[in-house]
Structure formats: structure tokens, C-alpha cells
Amino acid sequence: MTGSDFLRLDPRDAPSRGRTAWLTARIRAAVADATLGAGTRVPPSRELAEELSFSRGVVVEAYRRLTEEGLLVTNRGAGTRIAAAVGGGGGGGGPPIGAPAPGWPGGFPPPPPASTPSR
């Protein structure tokens, strides 16, 4: 299976502008519908970029955005994988991304205390 096959990506479907957003959305959707389960390794950025005929920067930026969202985890030397706490019914155990955290009043932790300026 090639790098782009894991998502059935067809670069002809990508817009000429906004390829990073397109790729990010495709990977995000594949996680949401459990096409990509927790722990699934995504292809190296160079490989996926070459197969899609995209610049490597497009793939690197898409992976960066998904990492910031908590959907991907990167381990130098071990590749990039779908985070363990996401996915459709994969038993990740945590609340869905963006959901309020259980156990906090209102669902979210309180803001940090305001620091007092030193005089």
C-alpha cells in the first residue's frame, strides 16, 4: 500500500490553492470516521508529498496542524501516528477533541491565577 492509498487520496480532487487545508480535512475526516484508528502510522511527509505531487511543505504543514489539534503524535525516528485518544470508537478513553473535560465545573478547568506584578 502506498502512502496515499491509506486514505484513498486522489490529488486531482485537491484544489489548486488550499491544498494544506484539503489534506488536513481529509486526514481529520478519516480519523473521525475511524478509517484511521488510534496508533495508525501515517506516511512520511516526503513519501506522501511525492505520491500526491505536492510540495513537501504542504504535507509538513498539514501534519503540524493536526499535531497541534492533538490528532497526530510525532516521535522522531518512530514516525507520525494517529493519537491514542482519538478515533471512532477505538477505546481511546478520553473525551472527543474539543469536548469539555469531565470533573471540572462547567466542563473546563479554571483559568490560571493572575500573577501579581512585583514592585
Side-chain angles (χ1 to χ4, degrees), residues 9-118:
L9 294 174
D10 186 345
R12 295 174 295 192
D13 294 339
S16 59
R17 293 180 152 267
R19 288 180 170 180
T20 300
W22 175 83
L23 181 59
T24 302
R26 294 297 304 264
I27 295 171
R28 190 183 296 119
V31 171
D33 71 10
T35 299
L36 297 177
T40 302
R41 189 165 188 250
V42 296
S45 59
R46 290 180 205 278
E47 179 183 313
L48 186 57
E50 184 177 320
E51 289 178 18
L52 295 173
S53 297
F54 289 0
S55 73
R56 181 171 174 244
V58 166
V59 179
V60 168
E61 178 62 15
Y63 283 6
R64 184 194 65 76
R65 290 178 186 183
L66 293 165
T67 299
E68 283 184 357
E69 292 176 18
L71 293 177
L72 296 181
V73 291
T74 302
N75 295 311
R76 192 182 282 298
T80 302
R81 298 181 181 276
I82 304 300
V86 300
I97 300 297
W104 291 96
F108 294 94
S115 60
T116 56
S118 57

